[in-house]
Amino acid sequence: TKRIVEALNGKNVLDVCVGWGGRMLGSACIDGVKYTGIEPFTKTYNGLSNIKNELELDNVTLYNDVAENILPKLEKIYDLALTSPPYYNLEVYSDESTQSHHYGSYEEWIDKFLRPIVHGVIEKLVDNGYSCWSVKNFKTDKKYNLYDDVVKLHIERGWKKIDREFYVGNCIRPGLDKQGKEITYVFVKG
């Protein structure tokens, strides 16, 4: 995260699916960078808040709600969105009603969760901002084209994927390519 934020000169970072806090910490450790994160799972949010308070991260703002509710309330001030959405049914984080897997089929999940999130993120980015997504196509009970759908949702709003990609190697977690790399793709307006 630190490498991505520095390479793209991010000053106001938006993360709509905070997760365990790696993007929060990677952003918050850079002088002059402000981080805004949205985490729907109460237990994870409480843990993130404890980290924020213990480390005195005054440049971090956290919301405990679904991104669909928070995004409309945010200003258009972000120059970098950096996130990794849930992979539909690959990992189930909790059974709270705030979790996106409650939307039903993959198609319903795209329409009710992913499309509003991608479009909402784009609306909060300044014109020369970057929309960065760590995603891939994956298979659980069937094949899900999450990467393809994220690309398509950006194109719907006039954004395009650029050749710039960021890799994290030797990761052990679901959703990685065969070489164990997590890839973050970069989108720009136009």
Side-chain angles (χ1 to χ4, degrees):
T1 295
K2 184 176 187 268
R3 183 171 46 100
I4 296 170
V5 173
E6 288 176 334
L8 299 177
N9 197 30
K11 299 298 179 207
N12 283 302
V13 178
L14 175 61
D15 184 356
V16 292
C17 303
V18 178
W20 305 118
R23 290 179 300 274
M24 176 181 82
L25 292 173
S27 299
C29 72
I30 305 169
D31 285 338
V33 172
K34 293 180 182 177
Y35 172 92
T36 300
I38 304 169
E39 174 54 48
F41 182 29
T42 304
K43 186 175 180 181
T44 301
Y45 170 82
N46 290 338
L48 295 166
S49 293
N50 289 338
I51 292 169
K52 175 189 172 193
N53 294 336
E54 189 170 315
L55 297 177
E56 299 177 1
L57 301 176
D58 297 330
N59 58 340
V60 170
T61 302
L62 294 172
Y63 294 95
N64 181 211
D65 198 350
V66 295
E68 304 93 309
N69 291 342
I70 298 299
L71 279 168
K73 300 173 185 176
L74 298 178
E75 294 180 61
K76 183 176 181 156
I77 58 169
Y78 301 95
D79 50 20
L80 178 62
L82 180 59
T83 200
S84 181
Y87 278 42
Y88 178 57
N89 66 358
L90 183 63
E91 298 174 301
V92 176
Y93 301 97
S94 84
D95 200 34
E96 284 186 352
S97 63
T98 60
Q99 300 300 289
S100 71
H101 67 270
H102 288 298
Y103 282 124
S105 71
Y106 180 73
E107 293 74 21
E108 291 172 308
W109 183 81
I110 293 291
D111 285 337
K112 294 178 182 175
F113 173 74
L114 194 62
R115 177 172 280 113
I117 298 307
V118 171
H119 291 177
V121 162
I122 288 169
E123 290 171 6
K124 299 307 173 182
L125 288 168
V126 296
D127 287 343
N128 61 345
Y130 296 96
S131 180
C132 303
W133 293 73
S134 178
V135 292
K136 69 171 275 161
N137 295 333
F138 67 97
K139 183 174 180 176
T140 54
D141 56 317
K142 65 179 190 174
K143 186 172 185 218
Y144 297 101
N145 296 320
L146 180 58
Y147 163 79
D148 297 337
D149 289 327
V150 167
V151 171
K152 182 177 92 175
L153 292 169
H154 278 85
I155 290 170
E156 284 178 3
R157 290 296 167 103
W159 285 62
K160 63 182 178 182
K161 187 175 85 63
I162 61 174
D163 290 337
R164 187 88 191 252
E165 296 174 351
F166 295 91
Y167 301 89
V168 176
N170 299 322
C171 294
I172 300 172
R173 59 172 279 217
L176 303 181
D177 72 6
K178 290 182 174 125
Q179 290 77 41
K181 292 180 185 169
E182 180 174 314
I183 303 171
T184 300
Y185 301 96
V186 181
F187 300 85
V188 296
K189 190 173 185 177

